[in-house]
Amino acid sequence: MADREPIGVDESTPSIARVYDAILGGTDNFAVDRAIAAESLRVLPEIGDVGRYNRAVLGRGVRCLARAGIRQFLDLGSGLPTAQNTHQVAQAEAPGTRVVYVDKDPIVRAHGRELLAANDRTALVTADLRDPGSVLEHPRVRELIDFEQPVGLMLVGVVHHLNDEEDPAGLVRSYLAAVPPGSHLFLTHFCASSPDAAELESVLLTDLGTGRFRTLAEIEGYFQGLELLDPGVVYLPQWRPDEPVEPPLTVGQRLMAGGIARKP
Ligand code: SAM
């Protein structure tokens, strides 16, 4: 079973999870990751804030779904554990909520295991979301997720790590096809919203090999056929903010966009 594979962390090759951790100010990263985080910071000094906007909207979105009655979450590209992870936010609202985290990076399992050891409603699976069959048929996923009941399908900060030829829209559709009506898609994504965003895309594509910035219209396209919750697909700080956000938004505030939609 994938969960029992040995840990294989390569310190000489940058990893998306570790670069994101470095950007968020974490310590689970190596020099190769920090170099990309530093270059990203040079191009976009607000990059640390962007990571925090994404984590903050993750919390607001999960809370919203939990309050709407979603009791099981499939969090694809979940990343390294940090503050206010999906299961903590969801289970604070409804303790019986089940959460399966999926990430392809072995470092995520290495660091997530301890956090989840005492929580039998939460699992972490090491798998590649580009292979929906292996994710959807994984024994831990089948154990915790009832595909007859609505699912909170999360693709937060990960679809931009799928290149165009990997058919991100087709992959999103495959996951949506596996969940029943009443399920929700929660997706956030790098947005092609400024010249600085284009420069950062170029850094990430060159140094990390991934990081596609897509337009608001392209991001909206992932929600095709679904019912978008208010306020639709917007820049992250504008999605149901706790405090009003004053325009004009900064380059960093416009660097990512996303939304939540219900499958009819
Ligand atoms: N969802 C978290 C958040 O928004 O805070 C983490 C986002 S982090 C930027 C992206 C994560 O997606 C990384 O941990 C990376 O390993 C994972 N990832 C990237 N491509 C993946 C793939 N094909 N399958 C599974 N996980 C993937």
Side-chain angles (χ1 to χ4, degrees):
M1 201 159 88
D3 294 64
R4 295 194 191 123
E5 280 167 13
I7 294 163
V9 174
D10 175 4
E11 295 188 24
S12 62
T13 308
S15 110
I16 299 164
R18 288 188 262 119
V19 171
Y20 184 56
D21 177 71
I23 284 171
L24 283 170
T27 53
D28 299 323
N29 49 71
F30 301 119
V32 281
D33 310 306
R34 290 192 286 278
I36 297 177
E39 183 59 6
S40 304
L41 189 69
R42 186 191 65 73
V43 172
L44 204 119
E46 285 179 86
I47 191 71
D49 291 334
V50 178
R52 285 184 280 279
Y53 300 144
N54 188 56
R55 290 302 304 179
V57 86
L58 184 147
R60 299 198 298 278
V62 169
R63 204 168 297 118
C64 156
L65 291 174
R67 288 179 184 169
I70 297 291
R71 293 291 175 266
Q72 40 179 10
F73 289 83
L74 187 58
D75 187 347
L76 302 169
S78 53
L80 278 158
T82 170
Q84 289 299 293
N85 300 291
T86 300
H87 74 285
Q88 291 158 322
V89 177
Q91 290 169 359
E93 294 294 328
T97 301
R98 299 176 307 283
V99 176
V100 181
Y101 293 112
V102 177
D103 203 288
K104 68 173 181 176
D105 194 325
I107 199 169
V108 171
R109 185 173 67 246
H111 289 264
R113 209 179 344 221
E114 206 177 313
L115 181 70
L116 303 181
N119 190 327
D120 60 2
R121 287 144 293 136
T122 308
L124 200 155
V125 165
T126 302
D128 194 320
L129 71 88
R130 290 170 296 184
D131 181 4
S134 75
V135 171
L136 295 166
E137 295 305 325
H138 192 285
R140 291 294 278 152
V141 173
R142 288 278 147 190
E143 217 176 292
L144 284 181
I145 306 286
D146 174 358
F147 285 92
E148 304 292 313
Q149 299 297 323
V151 177
L153 193 57
M154 296 175 59
L155 284 156
V156 175
V158 65
V159 173
H160 47 234
H161 293 301
L162 302 173
N163 294 324
D164 296 348
E165 62 276 15
E166 292 172 320
D167 188 20
L171 284 166
V172 174
R173 280 196 300 274
S174 301
Y175 286 101
L176 281 168
V179 295
S183 295
H184 287 68
L185 172 66
F186 178 11
L187 184 147
T188 71
H189 199 292
F190 280 144
C191 191
S193 52
S194 66
D196 295 16
E199 198 184 337
L200 184 61
E201 176 181 48
S202 159
V203 166
L204 293 178
L205 288 175
T206 306
D207 295 356
L208 190 57
T210 148
R212 277 281 288 110
F213 284 57
R214 299 187 170 99
T215 63
L216 270 178
E218 285 176 302
I219 299 167
E220 233 171 59
Y222 294 122
F223 295 93
Q224 210 170 17
L226 307 180
E227 298 162 351
L228 271 166
L229 307 193
D230 283 342
V233 173
V234 292
Y235 298 122
L236 300 189
Q238 296 175 317
W239 198 91
R240 303 195 184 190
D242 293 328
E243 306 283 332
V245 180
E246 295 303 326
L249 297 190
T250 64
V251 167
Q253 287 174 320
R254 287 181 283 123
L255 200 79
M256 289 185 74
I260 298 187
R262 180 181 181 279
K263 178 173 173 173

